[in-house]
């Protein structure tokens, strides 16, 4: 769809706290409006070497166009935060550096999208995939994880997004009972990675209190996920006192509290079912104080609209 003048009218400035939380779309839409192309490593390596560059050029160009439309979609639907997919530029971190070179040659186009995001007031963030494990006992896995983060940081740099938690890269703690190792690895990360890095609590390896301590010692923000918290602690309500306690403690880890981001999801078949539901039908009361909320529900933009209808009336 073509952009319109209204599409780029944008939102009010978003650096300051707002009366209502701003909601975020995760990667794609439930409708077919926002989708991205990809290529598997196997398929890529099957291509003759003289065809690989052309194949990636086509995919990257189309994905850039789709990223641009994702901004249009967000503006049209009053969505203020967009989590870019981690596979936006597949194969861009391979050793042959074909993808990295193709992407670098498109840096001017990426910069235009970053400028547009700023103009329309959409915050863009990333959640690298599960293969990022900074707490691993394996030096090879840690090195690979840093390489993945470096690739994402390079993309954010080319988009012209700030090297701060405004344009965050959010990951989980990884291997359990390795807090000291995790803190040590984070302390040695390059500035364009560390200044964007955030950590999130999970259902298994790192509880909210454990990852909070890591964030406090490493000097990086905590992205609190209330559903992960209630699953880990086997709680029966989002309004258990520990939810608000961790929420406020997490806020203190953000240098700018107005940038605090939290996640919400609901259980699919039961309250503390780890699988995500289609809609959000239960919210922590304290989340009314959250500046930014990523909505992790299967029906994506429809779940955001439904959440507004019953919980965020008057946004």
């Amino acid at each position: 769809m073509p952009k319109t003048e209204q599409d780029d009218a944008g939102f009010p400035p978003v650096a300051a706290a707002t009366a209502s939380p701003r909601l975020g779309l995760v990667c794609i839409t439930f409708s077919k409006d926002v989708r991205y192309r990809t290529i598997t490593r196997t398929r890529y390596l099957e291509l003759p070497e003289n065809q690989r560059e052309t194949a990636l050029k086509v995919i990257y160009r189309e994905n850039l166009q789709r990223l641009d439309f994702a901004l249009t979609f967000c503006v049209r639907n009053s969505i203020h935060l967009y989590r870019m997919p981690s596979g936006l530029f597949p194969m861009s971190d391979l050793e042959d550096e074909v993808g990295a070179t193709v992407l670098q040659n498109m840096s001017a186009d990426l910069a235009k999208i970053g400028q547009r995001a700023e103009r329309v007031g959409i915050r863009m963030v990333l959640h690298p995939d599960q293969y990022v494990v900074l707490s691993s006992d394996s030096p090879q896995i840690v090195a690979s994880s840093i390489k993945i983060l470096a690739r994402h940081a390079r993309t954010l740099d080319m988009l012209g997004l700030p090297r701060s938690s405004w344009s965050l890269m959010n990951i989980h703690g990884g291997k359990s009972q390795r807090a000291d190792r995790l803190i040590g690895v984070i302390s040695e990360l390059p500035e364009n990675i560390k200044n964007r890095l955030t950590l999130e609590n999970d259902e298994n390896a790192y509880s909210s209190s454990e990852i909070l301590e890591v964030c406090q010692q490493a000097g990086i923000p905590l992205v609190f996920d209330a559903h992960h918290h209630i699953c880990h602690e086997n709680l029966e309500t989002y309004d258990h006192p520990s939810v608000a306690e961790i929420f406020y403690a997490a806020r203190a880890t953000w240098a700018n509290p107005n940038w605090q981001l939290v996640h919400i999801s609901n259980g699919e078949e039961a309250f503390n079912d780890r699988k995500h539901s289609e809609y959000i039908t239960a919210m922590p009361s304290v989340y009314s104080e959250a500046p930014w909320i990523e909505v992790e529900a299967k029906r994506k933009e429809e779940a955001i609209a439904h959440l507004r209808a019953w919980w965020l009336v008057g946004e």
Side-chain angles (χ1 to χ4, degrees), residues 8 19 44 58 88 92 114 207 211 235 261 279 284 296-297:
D8 271 0
Y44 174 77
V58 171
L88 190 60
S92 61
S207 69
I211 209 68
L235 303 178
L261 175 64
Y279 294 100
E296 298 184 319

Side-chain angles (χ1 to χ4, degrees), residues 8 28 40 63 78 156 163 179 187 192 224 232 243 246 258 264 268:
D8 271 0
I28 62 173
T40 65
N63 282 356
S78 299
L156 295 176
R163 292 182 173 184
S187 70
N192 68 334
F224 177 55
H232 188 282
V243 174
I246 296 294
N258 295 331
I264 189 61
E268 182 177 50

Side-chain angles (χ1 to χ4, degrees), residues 16 35 50-51 73 104 201 219 238 244 246 255-256 262 281 307:
R35 291 286 191 274
N50 62 354
Q51 295 182 21
F73 183 92
Q104 185 61 46
N201 58 297
Y238 284 127
I246 296 294
N256 185 340
V262 298
T281 57
L307 183 58

Side-chain angles (χ1 to χ4, degrees), residues 260-280:
Q260 182 187 17
L261 175 64
V262 298
H263 290 178
I264 189 61
S265 55
N266 287 171
E268 182 177 50
E269 297 181 0
F271 179 69
N272 47 19
D273 181 355
R274 288 168 168 77
K275 296 179 182 178
H276 290 178
S277 60
E278 293 191 338
Y279 294 100
I280 302 298

Side-chain angles (χ1 to χ4, degrees), residues 201 208 222-226 229 242-243 246-247 250 261-263 287:
N201 58 297
S208 300
L222 166 61
V223 172
F224 177 55
D225 188 307
H229 177 73
S242 64
V243 174
I246 296 294
F247 173 85
L261 175 64
V262 298
H263 290 178
Y287 268 24

